[in-house]
Amino acid sequence: MSNAILESEAAMADGTPNHGVEQLSMQQALNRALDEVLAGNPKALIFGEDCGRLGGVFRITDGLQAKYGTGRVFDTPLAESGILGMSVGLAMAGFHPIPEVQFDGFAYPAINQIVCQIARMNYRSRGTMPMPVTLRVPSFGGIRAPEHHGESLEALFAHVPGLKVVSPSNPHEAYHLLKYAATRPDPVIFMEPKSRYWQKGGVNFDSADGSDSPAGDSPTGANVMRAGRHVTLVAWGAMVARCLQVAELAAEDGIDVEVLDLRWLKPIDEAALVASVRKTRRAVVVHEAPLTSGLGAEVAQLVTQGCFDTLKAPVERITGFDVPYPSGDLEDEYIPNIDRILFGIQRVLEYRRG
Amino acid sequence: MSNAILESEAAMADGTPNHGVEQLSMQQALNRALDEVLAGNPKALIFGEDCGRLGGVFRITDGLQAKYGTGRVFDTPLAESGILGMSVGLAMAGFHPIPEVQFDGFAYPAINQIVCQIARMNYRSRGTMPMPVTLRVPSFGGIRAPEHHGESLEALFAHVPGLKVVSPSNPHEAYHLLKYAATRPDPVIFMEPKSRYWQKGGVNFDSADGSDSPAGDSPTGANVMRAGRHVTLVAWGAMVARCLQVAELAAEDGIDVEVLDLRWLKPIDEAALVASVRKTRRAVVVHEAPLTSGLGAEVAQLVTQGCFDTLKAPVERITGFDVPYPSGDLEDEYIPNIDRILFGIQRVLEYRRG
Amino acid sequence: MDTPLTPTAGNDAGPPSEPRYEQLSGLPAEPLTAGQLRELYSLMVAVRHLDASAIAWQRQGLIPGYAPELGQEAAQVGSGYAVDTARDFVFPTYREMGVARAMGVDMVAYMSTHKATWHGGLYDPQESRLAPIQAVVGGSVLHAVGWAHGQTLSRPADGTLGVAMTYFGDGASSQGDVHEAMNFAAVMKAPVVFFVQNNGWAISVPTERQVAGGSVAARAAGYGIPALRIDGNDVVAVVEATRRAFAHCRAGNGPALIEAMTYRRGPHSTSDDPGRYRSLNEERDDAGEDPLERFRRRLLADGVADEAFFAEALAAAKSEEEEIRAGVQALGSRPGSEMFDLVFQETTPALQAQAANWREESEHV
Amino acid sequence: MDTPLTPTAGNDAGPPSEPRYEQLSGLPAEPLTAGQLRELYSLMVAVRHLDASAIAWQRQGLIPGYAPELGQEAAQVGSGYAVDTARDFVFPTYREMGVARAMGVDMVAYMSTHKATWHGGLYDPQESRLAPIQAVVGGSVLHAVGWAHGQTLSRPADGTLGVAMTYFGDGASSQGDVHEAMNFAAVMKAPVVFFVQNNGWAISVPTERQVAGGSVAARAAGYGIPALRIDGNDVVAVVEATRRAFAHCRAGNGPALIEAMTYRRGPHSTSDDPGRYRSLNEERDDAGEDPLERFRRRLLADGVADEAFFAEALAAAKSEEEEIRAGVQALGSRPGSEMFDLVFQETTPALQAQAANWREESEHV
Ligand SMILES: Cc1ncc(C[n+]2csc(CCOP(=O)(O)OP(=O)(O)O)c2C)c(N)n1
Ligand SMILES: Cc1ncc(C[n+]2csc(CCOP(=O)(O)OP(=O)(O)O)c2C)c(N)n1
Ligand SMILES: [Mg+2]
Ligand SMILES: [Mg+2]
């Protein structure tokens, strides 16, 4: 084991932050972030189905109950509305709940508590009862899982006044965005791209505020992951890595693709979006959720509003279809694949005003 | 009482359809439609909170329990997930459930059953278990009601694969669209603009398939409610009447406004939308729901895709704000009012490419 | 083979008017002093008068709507009276005006919700120890469990716990959230009192078509939660039961449930028409004796109060109502900017832009 | 004042291994014939063998995942065996392979869900009388209530009803939907059998931290629903209890609940690692005797079957498994066009356009 890792494990033990750059999987990065959040705030609590003793079905909370005790990290009965409703009361009592719903599709039973309570309590109570609830939702598809284990709920969440929504695309982002989200005074839906949990990447621990993230942006902004001149690909979560692949392939054909990782899905970093497309004059937005009324529509409309004079083609949306998320055998047909994204790029590049 | 009304009440008694044109409130029109649906299909059932003996808090089901018995029209315990979950089983058993959730905001506790079950059962069962569930949701704001009684959930519903979504704007539409929706083999969310329940309007009963609706369109299409040359206002539900008012006012200033009643929010009549804006070259979409990730984004993007070459200005969205629906005192500030819509029209008319 | 199975008992908790104390083990509650009894009466009169007046306010156009609690004064005042506002916390529905009054909440700020000024009411929930008014049926029952579990997590040195009390109705007992709350509370031994006002109706649906088995209290047994089904129209019984339930929770014994049998004598709300689902005769037969009148007779019989005291209490109630009405009348609308400012603790650029746009366009108006 | 309240009883339903029949009134069920007992054994062996094989299939890469039911064969085969597929309807979860087999469902079509071919499985639910496989915990319990109420509404002339049976676990009992379902069923007297497999675990959470009061059956009393807590590892007890519950429902007496106490001997699913939350010693101590082994000893002792029969049953199970595996292996992917075609009964222009687009772009690939 490298010295850096040994040091950082020693650091974890007494709760002080890690240092330097390490290669970690997203699962490890999220685990580290939660560890530091628990160490830094005695009011922070982690709970949900199987996140105590088991450490979560994805092991994101691995080891945390052993370290912080069953008062800080605990299993609940199997009821998502219960988990989120309980979070409201804990927040009222001064805690910072970090609940988990086990899979995206099981956020639905909790929607009433999320929309009508968590998102509105600060407003209803006129700011006297803030809701610092950080809801972790393993999200999106791509792992050949059973039904309801591959859903993309960002459009739903982003439409709800009172919620903020964020999704990291790599381990570095995961670490910093979760630390940032879990120290905010407002509710944040934290959408973890489950197909990326086991992918490794460098995490720079020294950028405590996320400010040395690839593009040097603030923790609340979008990131240009790859600069390009001909077209902007806008994506989040697991689709960012795919768009970066697409950009490499397109480069072979001389097409210079800019990839924008939106990161925050509410509020959207409109300035970054508009700046990118004003430059490239063309945009394709990519997401796994169904097309109709998906977040791609909002992104497209923000681009159109902000770049109407420069836009060379209508914004393309390469998305999941308007069908229920299919079983594993068909998921590669459903999730935007490299070819479909390339077709989208081709369409915006070849568009000619008729 | 006019002869027409007497005749039509006689007609109701034996379940045969009404005839001619009558002035009815939307509440009456919906009630008539349900009466005919129950008469026409012995498998049709109406149930929910207080829709039996009371006839619903808005009296939409008034008199139907007395007429069809407690087997066909009945009160359930107070649990929306229960109501919708039970609908699934009744549909599997060959019934056509027409459940009601009492108010828009109380659809949230049923979202899990709506999204994961009703919308997917036909798919999951490979077409062997259709879900002819017509869910009536008194929707939208404007009546100075308590919290959660003025919500607009169309963007959420429209995003869910497997659902169809419709909202009538006047009594004629209400009657025909409900009769149409409640005889479909697929789930339809029927969003009733509650602020319009007591407004009267002519219902032409002879257009049994809705085909002589104002613009002569099919029951599944959008309606041009007012033709115009300078700008298209796109709206649904209660906002249609407001847009027609706006059109009158704008006409005084020489601005010729086309008003398109979208009616179906999923699937959207893209052809009608594009045809209108190709003509007017400018569009403003109006809805009560919050701006971000609202259905206005989808409409705007469809317009932009379909009219990119002719569009003179980016589509304007005049909508509710990204805030929880406020209490009565502030609802006129929240719901798009005439002035805000006029400002939107002005912006698209005055837009000049920079 | 077709012999009916017999129910496993526990679902017949007796008629509403018979209190069932036998489930309370241990010492009886300390008796209320004469002063406390008179205080309770004064509170009940104040609540009765304000409630009746609020209906009049609605008819006069001062407020757009109201949910009367006529007949539930004993249940509400009695339970609210047992709260220790130094350490407990209460989660109301939309009908707990009497609880708020008994807890000493600013009543103009409370009634503002019915004036459509602000949904949750204008009172400060943290200071009042009363959560914002809740319009989702069953919506806040889980909040109470979470708050109560928070007390367990930060248990003070003396070992006694702050207790959460959550109100809900017979109708709400059908909601899944209420079940989840009871199960969570019992699994976690959270100090929470589930206070059910079984007032016979959920809008037009009577308890017998709402609550299978007939009793919400009977449900508690399934979770191992001790439950009391009490005469909710006897204010003294309500105070005593609530105090004992609080003591139970405070000592760390986990949750308790009280089902206060009462009757909603008025309409569900000012827009309801009970004549469509129950007759005046039924109302008279089912409602039982007026809880206020009943308490008054008892105080007289026991020599705790006399006619002069009652007259005084009524006069005080009247002047209190006048003051509250004046306050409500004087309430202006909240500035529209609060729509934007109160969404988040940390606002967003998009919201700021919308607020600026709103300000600009509404100033033109 | 701090004396604990005592629970209102009903929450101690005895240890898992003690069947509690006393709540069943009336005649005992007709005894099973020797032929039926042997049939049950054959089913259990077939299920045991297919289950173990499916885990192997997963390890070999034939299927991506599987949820084993090792140890639950008696509960599943026994209850499924009691179903009358001419008129009843069953609502499974994701773990009811043994029920499907006992009901005679096409097992290749059933197992296709675990091959990720189609979420609900490829069998025809209407013909099989088995609803599509359900991945939402507690998701289909209300469906059973609705289907059952439908039977009441269209009650045949002879007065006997089709019965819905819904399966759920100890974990699922925490879901609000399950409560709503029990309350609806009891209020409407719907002919539905709630069949709870209490297998001790919901993934890593043991029943004692899941089910407050310790028993799902005890909950039923609160709704006035008769309940049986039975030894779910005794296949004969399961058949008899299920038959009696069906008879109760069929005759129009409303719902019934059976809590079959059993043990999930395997991992939650092929991706679970039970070593993280329970030791092998705990597994051995808590699991009790293997239901299959136990039934085998009983059949031997009663002279109902001999070693030759057991060998034959195992051989049949093996060849059955081979056939099913061959079928599963041969299963191709469903055509992508089904994604679009099966969304609605009446498709939409938008979907058609998306399907066309998909076809075009995937043919280029
Ligand atoms: C989740 C939800 N569904 C429906 C409603 C509409 N609603 C308001 S009050 C009410 C009846 C409530 O009955 P109960 O719980 O007995 O309380 P009570 O009104 O008798 O005090 C209904 C159906 C609501 N507010 N919330
Ligand atoms: C609503 C919902 N929440 C969470 C999950 C994830 N999950 C799948 S199975 C399971 C445990 C279920 O336990 P139990 O009901 O006892 O059934 P068992 O697995 O023991 O058969 C969980 C948490 C789910 N499928 N559905
Ligand atoms: Mg009530
Ligand atoms: Mg289990």
Side-chain angles (χ1 to χ4, degrees):
Chain A
M1 220 180 271
S2 79
N3 271 353
I5 293 176
L6 286 176
E7 253 169 46
S8 107
E9 288 198 346
M12 273 177 70
D14 60 10
T16 53
N18 302 277
H19 283 299
V21 177
E22 270 183 64
Q23 292 295 317
L24 295 179
S25 69
M26 187 182 286
Q27 174 266 336
Q28 290 170 315
L30 292 166
N31 184 263
R32 292 276 185 96
L34 290 174
D35 190 351
E36 289 181 34
V37 167
L38 287 176
N41 178 5
K43 290 290 189 183
L45 304 174
I46 290 175
F47 51 91
E49 293 156 13
D50 307 291
C51 33
R53 190 146 32 142
L54 183 64
V57 294
F58 290 111
R59 309 292 184 260
I60 308 300
T61 55
D62 189 25
L64 300 178
Q65 184 177 73
K67 187 163 171 184
Y68 295 96
T70 54
R72 303 283 307 283
V73 180
F74 54 96
D75 292 325
T76 64
L78 207 177
E80 292 76 12
S81 193
I83 293 166
L84 276 296
M86 185 175 130
S87 300
V88 174
L90 282 164
M92 286 175 168
F95 290 88
H96 187 125
I98 311 177
E100 170 183 297
V101 296
Q102 200 161 80
F103 285 91
D104 31 64
F106 310 131
Y108 292 116
I111 285 297
N112 180 44
Q113 286 291 339
I114 295 171
V115 173
C116 298
Q117 306 298 341
I118 291 178
R120 296 191 194 182
M121 194 56 78
N122 185 73
Y123 190 79
R124 186 184 297 145
S125 72
R126 304 179 52 73
T128 63
M129 291 178 144
M131 285 289 119
V133 176
T134 313
L135 173 60
R136 293 184 37 252
V137 187
S139 290
F140 315 126
I143 63 163
R144 264 170 101 71
E147 200 177 357
H148 315 292
H149 293 64
E151 311 273 307
S152 301
L153 277 75
E154 68 270 23
L156 190 171
F157 290 133
H159 189 47
V160 177
L163 296 182
K164 297 176 180 179
V165 188
V166 66
S167 185
S169 61
N170 62 40
H172 178 84
E173 295 292 325
Y175 172 82
H176 289 290
L177 288 174
L178 184 51
K179 279 193 68 180
Y180 181 78
T183 49
R184 305 311 346 131
D186 291 310
V188 180
I189 311 291
F190 192 85
M191 300 177 72
E192 302 172 358
K194 64 174 93 75
S195 67
R196 307 296 299 171
Y197 275 149
W198 313 109
Q199 306 294 319
K200 293 216 165 194
V203 177
N204 183 349
F205 288 106
D206 295 330
S207 71
D209 62 349
S211 64
D212 68 349
S213 56
D217 286 327
S218 86
T220 58
N223 273 346
V224 177
M225 303 297 280
R226 184 190 198 283
R229 289 166 302 137
H230 298 143
V231 56
T232 301
L233 282 182
V234 186
W236 49 91
M239 287 298 103
V240 173
R242 180 151 302 173
C243 286
L244 287 168
Q245 274 180 288
V246 166
E248 294 306 316
L249 288 171
E252 294 172 12
D253 290 339
I255 302 166
D256 192 15
V257 176
E258 176 146 318
V259 177
L260 189 73
D261 176 0
L262 209 53
R263 295 161 103 219
W264 288 88
L265 309 178
K266 175 85 168 275
I268 289 175
D269 184 352
E270 202 179 329
L273 196 59
V274 169
S276 173
V277 185
R278 285 225 176 122
K279 183 181 68 172
T280 61
R281 311 183 128 208
R282 292 169 182 91
V284 177
V285 53
V286 179
H287 63 64
E288 299 183 35
L291 176 76
T292 297
S293 204
L295 198 66
E298 180 66 39
V299 170
Q301 173 61 7
L302 289 178
V303 166
T304 309
Q305 269 169 223
C307 314
F308 191 73
D309 298 350
T310 41
L311 211 52
K312 290 285 188 195
V315 178
E316 271 287 325
R317 294 184 282 171
I318 306 297
T319 70
F321 301 108
D322 286 347
V323 309
Y325 191 90
S327 192
D329 268 5
L330 291 174
E331 70 182 351
D332 293 342
E333 303 291 321
Y334 173 89
I335 300 178
N337 57 31
I338 289 178
D339 293 284
R340 286 179 57 212
I341 301 170
L342 284 169
F343 278 119
I345 290 176
Q346 194 183 332
R347 278 197 290 276
V348 294
L349 287 172
E350 290 178 358
Y351 188 89
R352 295 290 172 271
R353 290 186 182 270
Chain B
M1 219 180 271
S2 80
N3 269 353
I5 292 176
L6 285 177
E7 254 169 46
S8 108
E9 288 197 346
M12 272 176 71
D14 59 12
T16 54
N18 302 279
H19 284 297
V21 177
E22 271 185 61
Q23 293 294 316
L24 295 180
S25 68
M26 187 182 285
Q27 174 267 335
Q28 290 169 315
L30 292 167
N31 184 262
R32 291 277 184 97
L34 290 174
D35 190 351
E36 289 182 34
V37 168
L38 287 176
N41 177 6
K43 290 289 189 183
L45 305 174
I46 290 176
F47 51 91
E49 295 156 13
D50 306 290
C51 29
R53 186 140 41 139
L54 183 64
V57 295
F58 290 110
R59 308 293 183 261
I60 307 301
T61 56
D62 190 25
L64 299 179
Q65 184 177 73
K67 187 163 171 186
Y68 295 96
T70 54
R72 303 281 310 280
V73 181
F74 54 95
D75 293 325
T76 65
L78 205 176
E80 291 77 10
S81 193
I83 293 166
L84 276 297
M86 186 175 129
S87 301
V88 173
L90 283 163
M92 285 176 170
F95 290 89
H96 188 125
I98 311 176
E100 170 184 296
V101 295
Q102 200 161 78
F103 286 91
D104 32 61
F106 310 132
Y108 292 115
I111 285 296
N112 181 44
Q113 286 291 339
I114 296 171
V115 173
C116 298
Q117 307 298 342
I118 292 178
R120 294 189 195 183
M121 194 56 78
N122 186 71
Y123 190 79
R124 186 183 298 145
S125 72
R126 305 179 53 72
T128 63
M129 290 179 145
M131 286 287 119
V133 176
T134 313
L135 172 59
R136 293 184 38 251
V137 187
S139 290
F140 315 126
I143 64 163
R144 262 170 102 74
E147 200 176 358
H148 316 292
H149 292 64
E151 311 273 309
S152 301
L153 277 75
E154 67 272 22
L156 190 170
F157 290 132
H159 188 48
V160 177
L163 297 182
K164 296 175 180 179
V165 188
V166 66
S167 185
S169 61
N170 62 41
H172 178 83
E173 295 291 326
Y175 172 83
H176 289 289
L177 287 174
L178 184 51
K179 279 193 70 180
Y180 181 79
T183 49
R184 305 310 345 130
D186 292 309
V188 180
I189 310 291
F190 193 86
M191 300 178 72
E192 301 172 359
K194 63 174 92 74
S195 67
R196 309 294 300 170
Y197 275 148
W198 312 111
Q199 307 293 318
K200 293 217 166 195
V203 177
N204 183 349
F205 288 105
D206 295 331
S207 71
D209 61 350
S211 64
D212 68 351
S213 56
D217 287 326
S218 86
T220 59
N223 273 345
V224 177
M225 302 297 281
R226 183 189 199 282
R229 289 166 301 136
H230 298 143
V231 56
T232 301
L233 282 182
V234 185
W236 51 89
M239 288 297 102
V240 173
R242 181 151 302 171
C243 287
L244 288 168
Q245 274 181 289
V246 166
E248 293 305 315
L249 288 170
E252 294 172 12
D253 290 339
I255 303 166
D256 193 14
V257 175
E258 177 145 319
V259 177
L260 188 74
D261 176 1
L262 209 52
R263 296 161 101 217
W264 288 88
L265 310 178
K266 175 83 167 279
I268 289 175
D269 183 352
E270 202 178 329
L273 196 59
V274 168
S276 174
V277 184
R278 285 226 176 121
K279 181 181 69 174
T280 62
R281 311 183 127 209
R282 293 172 182 89
V284 176
V285 52
V286 179
H287 63 64
E288 299 183 35
L291 175 76
T292 297
S293 203
L295 198 67
E298 181 66 39
V299 170
Q301 174 61 7
L302 291 177
V303 166
T304 308
Q305 269 170 224
C307 314
F308 191 72
D309 298 349
T310 40
L311 210 54
K312 290 286 189 196
V315 179
E316 272 286 327
R317 295 184 281 171
I318 306 296
T319 70
F321 301 108
D322 286 346
V323 309
Y325 192 91
S327 192
D329 268 6
L330 291 175
E331 70 182 352
D332 292 343
E333 303 291 321
Y334 172 90
I335 299 179
N337 56 32
I338 290 177
D339 292 284
R340 285 179 57 213
I341 301 170
L342 285 168
F343 277 119
I345 291 176
Q346 192 183 332
R347 277 196 292 274
V348 294
L349 288 172
E350 290 178 356
Y351 187 89
R352 293 291 171 269
R353 291 187 181 266
Chain C
M1 284 295 286
D2 57 353
T3 334
L5 310 178
T6 55
T8 52
N11 61 315
D12 176 20
S17 55
E18 283 175 30
R20 302 211 321 164
Y21 289 110
E22 70 274 23
Q23 289 152 357
L24 261 176
S25 67
L27 298 171
E30 240 172 273
L32 290 159
T33 65
Q36 290 174 319
L37 291 168
R38 283 192 298 269
E39 195 185 352
L40 282 166
Y41 182 86
S42 297
L43 284 167
M44 283 173 71
V45 175
V47 166
R48 166 69 55 94
H49 189 69
L50 182 57
D51 190 68
S53 303
I55 298 177
W57 301 353
Q58 192 271 340
R59 304 285 182 243
Q60 294 152 13
L62 171 56
I63 59 177
Y66 179 68
E69 58 128 333
L70 185 71
Q72 301 179 218
E73 296 86 355
Q76 296 200 1
V77 168
S79 53
Y81 191 77
V83 175
D84 178 351
T85 52
R87 49 185 178 175
D88 301 328
F89 211 99
V90 172
F91 296 79
T93 76
Y94 44 84
R95 202 190 293 289
E96 267 71 65
M97 186 270 276
V99 177
R101 177 62 189 84
M103 287 175 64
V105 174
D106 173 345
M107 294 310 286
V108 174
Y110 179 89
M111 295 303 274
S112 66
T113 194
H114 298 297
K115 206 189 178 194
T117 311
W118 198 261
H119 280 315
L122 290 173
Y123 57 95
D124 182 324
Q126 294 286 17
E127 267 177 29
S128 320
R129 313 295 283 181
L130 183 71
I133 287 157
Q134 175 66 245
V136 180
V137 164
S140 65
V141 184
L142 280 160
H143 308 172
V145 176
W147 189 92
H149 186 58
Q151 306 313 298
T152 307
L153 291 178
S154 48
R155 193 167 188 150
D158 75 350
T160 65
L161 293 166
V163 175
M165 176 155 60
T166 172
Y167 287 86
F168 59 94
D170 44 294
S173 75
S174 297
Q175 287 283 351
D177 272 14
V178 171
H179 156 73
E180 297 187 8
M182 288 194 201
N183 188 48
F184 272 58
V187 163
M188 302 190 305
K189 290 193 95 184
V192 51
V193 176
F194 297 100
F195 195 96
V196 187
Q197 285 173 83
N198 186 336
N199 64 3
W201 294 90
I203 309 186
S204 71
V205 178
T207 306
E208 62 270 20
R209 283 189 288 127
Q210 180 78 247
V211 181
S215 154
V216 181
R219 304 259 169 92
Y223 307 95
I225 299 178
L228 293 171
R229 195 179 218 210
I230 63 168
D231 181 348
N233 294 333
D234 174 349
V235 69
V236 175
V238 175
V239 175
E240 284 174 358
T242 313
R243 285 184 168 176
R244 301 191 70 166
F246 268 89
H248 172 90
C249 294
R250 208 178 293 298
N253 297 309
L257 184 146
I258 295 171
E259 183 174 16
M261 304 307 293
T262 178
Y263 193 84
R264 194 197 77 213
R265 290 173 165 252
H268 170 73
S269 74
T270 43
S271 52
D272 182 34
D273 172 11
R276 293 178 67 99
Y277 52 83
R278 67 189 194 193
S279 70
L280 289 175
N281 282 344
E282 284 167 338
E283 279 185 18
R284 194 198 47 223
D285 294 347
D286 296 344
E289 201 186 353
D290 174 0
L292 183 62
E293 191 46 36
R294 181 169 154 187
F295 191 36
R296 174 192 166 97
R297 278 199 297 103
R298 174 171 169 171
L299 293 181
L300 268 180
D302 293 353
V304 173
D306 57 14
E307 292 296 348
F309 170 77
F310 297 138
E312 222 174 86
L314 183 60
K318 284 184 174 167
S319 74
E320 181 176 317
E321 183 270 330
E322 274 163 35
E323 231 174 89
I324 296 167
R325 185 182 47 205
V328 169
Q329 248 158 351
L331 267 181
S333 289
R334 302 305 309 169
S337 57
E338 286 190 354
M339 281 198 296
F340 305 95
D341 295 345
L342 295 173
V343 181
F344 291 119
Q345 294 280 317
E346 297 179 338
T347 191
T348 70
L351 258 182
Q352 283 173 310
Q354 289 180 26
N357 196 255
W358 164 82
R359 205 170 295 116
E360 203 175 295
E361 297 191 347
S362 61
E363 271 164 14
H364 282 95
V365 175
Chain D
M1 284 297 282
D2 57 356
T3 332
L5 308 178
T6 55
T8 51
N11 60 314
D12 177 20
S17 56
E18 281 174 32
R20 301 209 322 163
Y21 290 109
E22 71 273 22
Q23 289 152 357
L24 262 176
S25 68
L27 298 169
E30 241 173 273
L32 290 159
T33 66
Q36 289 175 319
L37 290 169
R38 282 191 299 267
E39 194 185 352
L40 282 166
Y41 182 86
S42 297
L43 284 167
M44 282 174 69
V45 174
V47 166
R48 166 69 56 93
H49 189 68
L50 182 56
D51 190 68
S53 303
I55 298 177
W57 300 354
Q58 193 272 337
R59 304 286 181 244
Q60 294 152 14
L62 171 57
I63 59 176
Y66 179 67
E69 57 128 331
L70 185 70
Q72 299 179 219
E73 296 86 356
Q76 296 200 0
V77 168
S79 53
Y81 191 76
V83 174
D84 178 351
T85 53
R87 50 184 178 177
D88 301 327
F89 212 99
V90 173
F91 296 79
T93 75
Y94 45 85
R95 203 190 291 290
E96 268 71 67
M97 186 270 278
V99 177
R101 178 61 189 84
M103 288 175 65
V105 174
D106 173 344
M107 293 311 285
V108 173
Y110 180 91
M111 295 303 274
S112 67
T113 194
H114 298 297
K115 205 189 179 193
T117 313
W118 197 261
H119 280 317
L122 290 174
Y123 57 95
D124 182 322
Q126 294 286 17
E127 268 177 27
S128 320
R129 312 297 280 180
L130 184 71
I133 287 157
Q134 176 64 246
V136 180
V137 163
S140 65
V141 184
L142 280 159
H143 308 172
V145 176
W147 189 92
H149 186 59
Q151 306 313 298
T152 308
L153 292 178
S154 48
R155 193 169 188 150
D158 74 351
T160 65
L161 294 166
V163 175
M165 176 156 60
T166 172
Y167 287 87
F168 59 93
D170 42 293
S173 75
S174 296
Q175 286 284 350
D177 271 13
V178 171
H179 156 75
E180 296 186 9
M182 290 195 202
N183 188 49
F184 272 57
V187 162
M188 301 188 306
K189 289 192 96 187
V192 51
V193 176
F194 297 100
F195 194 95
V196 187
Q197 285 172 85
N198 186 335
N199 63 4
W201 296 89
I203 309 187
S204 72
V205 178
T207 306
E208 61 269 22
R209 283 189 288 128
Q210 179 78 247
V211 181
S215 155
V216 181
R219 303 261 169 90
Y223 308 95
I225 299 178
L228 294 170
R229 195 180 218 213
I230 62 168
D231 181 348
N233 295 332
D234 176 349
V235 69
V236 176
V238 174
V239 175
E240 283 175 359
T242 312
R243 285 186 169 174
R244 301 192 69 165
F246 268 89
H248 171 90
C249 294
R250 208 177 295 296
N253 297 309
L257 185 145
I258 294 171
E259 183 175 16
M261 304 307 291
T262 179
Y263 192 84
R264 194 197 77 214
R265 289 172 167 253
H268 170 73
S269 74
T270 43
S271 52
D272 182 34
D273 172 10
R276 294 177 68 97
Y277 53 82
R278 67 190 193 192
S279 69
L280 290 174
N281 282 345
E282 282 167 340
E283 280 185 18
R284 194 198 47 224
D285 294 348
D286 295 345
E289 202 186 351
D290 174 1
L292 183 62
E293 192 43 39
R294 181 170 154 187
F295 191 38
R296 173 192 167 97
R297 279 198 297 105
R298 175 171 169 171
L299 294 182
L300 267 179
D302 293 354
V304 174
D306 56 15
E307 291 298 345
F309 170 77
F310 297 139
E312 221 175 88
L314 183 60
K318 284 184 176 167
S319 73
E320 181 177 318
E321 184 271 329
E322 273 163 37
E323 231 174 275
I324 297 167
R325 185 185 45 203
V328 169
Q329 248 159 350
L331 267 181
S333 289
R334 302 305 310 168
S337 58
E338 286 190 356
M339 282 197 296
F340 306 95
D341 294 345
L342 296 173
V343 180
F344 291 118
Q345 295 280 317
E346 296 180 337
T347 191
T348 69
L351 257 182
Q352 284 174 307
Q354 290 180 25
N357 197 255
W358 164 81
R359 205 169 296 117
E360 203 175 297
E361 297 192 347
S362 60
E363 273 163 15
H364 281 97
V365 174

